[in-house]
Amino acid sequence: MRKIWFYVMMMCCALVAFSSCNEDKEEPIDEEWKLANETVFNEIAKKAEKGEDGYKRIISPGGNNGFVCYKVLKEGDGTEPIYFNSAVKHYYSGKYILSAQETDQYHYFDNQYDAPPNPPTTFYVNSNVDGWTIALPEMKVGDRWEVWVPQQLGYGSSGYRVSTSSPYIIPPYTTLIFEIEVVEIMEP
């Protein structure tokens, strides 16, 4: 009887080990896509370094996580600071390059920016990608910025999915470009 249980247990262990090997497949890295996104961001970073075309950069607090680039599209008149734990009402749209061959054309993954009649979105600064947590505290109410987020401060090597059963909405290693307008700072 012990031998039968031993063989049953061995078979179960073998099945578990075999099935777990198939679940941990990593998505292959599309080196061409990754390079195209790094190139696009580096071009904007060079403009920001030189102050060309109105681009500037914000280094992350502590300086070790990198930086985002931005361009002021409209100056606001707010004076209240935005903190890491602030809730912010805002309009935004998000896009990324269409393909590695078409780095000057964009795919919109969220085009919520249509101002009224659509209501603004509200969320906490610290509940989004790192690029937003770097940029938003530098903005004020009424500001509208174009913000470039490198993949390391965006969705990185995993990309973004709505759920595990859906395809990627934002591919891994994608530079994100947002247009953000701060409408109101809510009580934290």
Side-chain angles (χ1 to χ4, degrees):
M1 186 71 156
R2 285 186 180 177
K3 284 185 178 181
I4 293 174
W5 281 110
F6 175 76
Y7 289 121
V8 169
M9 292 301 288
M10 292 298 290
M11 292 296 286
C12 288
C13 289
L15 285 173
V16 168
F18 179 73
S19 66
S20 67
C21 290
N22 290 336
E23 291 176 12
D24 293 338
K25 286 184 181 177
E26 285 193 24
E27 295 290 325
I29 296 173
D30 183 341
E31 292 295 338
E32 184 181 10
W33 175 255
K34 183 178 177 183
L35 180 61
N37 277 272
E38 288 172 356
T39 300
V40 166
F41 184 78
N42 288 337
E43 288 171 8
I44 294 299
K46 286 177 189 171
K47 287 183 178 187
E49 190 174 330
K50 296 175 184 176
E52 292 178 359
D53 298 334
Y55 286 101
K56 299 175 185 174
R57 67 183 193 170
I58 304 168
I59 297 173
S60 70
N64 56 354
N65 285 343
F67 60 92
V68 297
C69 297
Y70 72 98
K71 178 186 209 175
V72 176
L73 304 174
K74 181 183 104 179
E75 282 280 338
D77 57 2
T79 57
E80 186 180 350
I82 297 174
Y83 297 106
F84 185 69
N85 64 344
S86 296
V88 177
K89 270 190 181 180
H90 62 282
Y91 289 105
Y92 75 98
S93 67
K95 62 184 178 179
Y96 58 87
I97 62 174
L98 194 57
S99 72
Q101 290 75 35
E102 300 171 298
T103 57
D104 58 347
Q105 297 180 21
Y106 302 99
H107 169 75
Y108 283 85
F109 59 86
D110 194 338
N111 198 10
Q112 186 269 337
Y113 191 79
D114 298 330
N118 292 339
T121 301
T122 302
F123 70 81
Y124 286 92
V125 173
N126 61 5
S127 68
N128 211 309
V129 295
D130 290 343
W132 278 53
T133 63
I134 294 169
L136 277 173
E138 301 297 321
M139 297 178 76
K140 56 187 183 270
V141 172
D143 279 354
R144 187 171 72 227
W145 287 9
E146 176 183 284
V147 179
W148 288 69
V149 178
Q151 60 94 5
Q152 301 90 337
L153 298 174
Y155 295 110
S157 62
S158 60
Y160 177 74
R161 300 178 184 215
V162 172
S163 69
T164 55
S165 62
S166 72
Y168 282 113
I169 292 175
I170 300 171
Y173 304 105
T174 298
T175 294
L176 305 171
I177 306 120
F178 293 100
E179 187 171 319
I180 307 168
E181 182 172 354
V182 176
V183 175
E184 182 181 349
I185 302 168
M186 310 298 289
E187 288 292 323

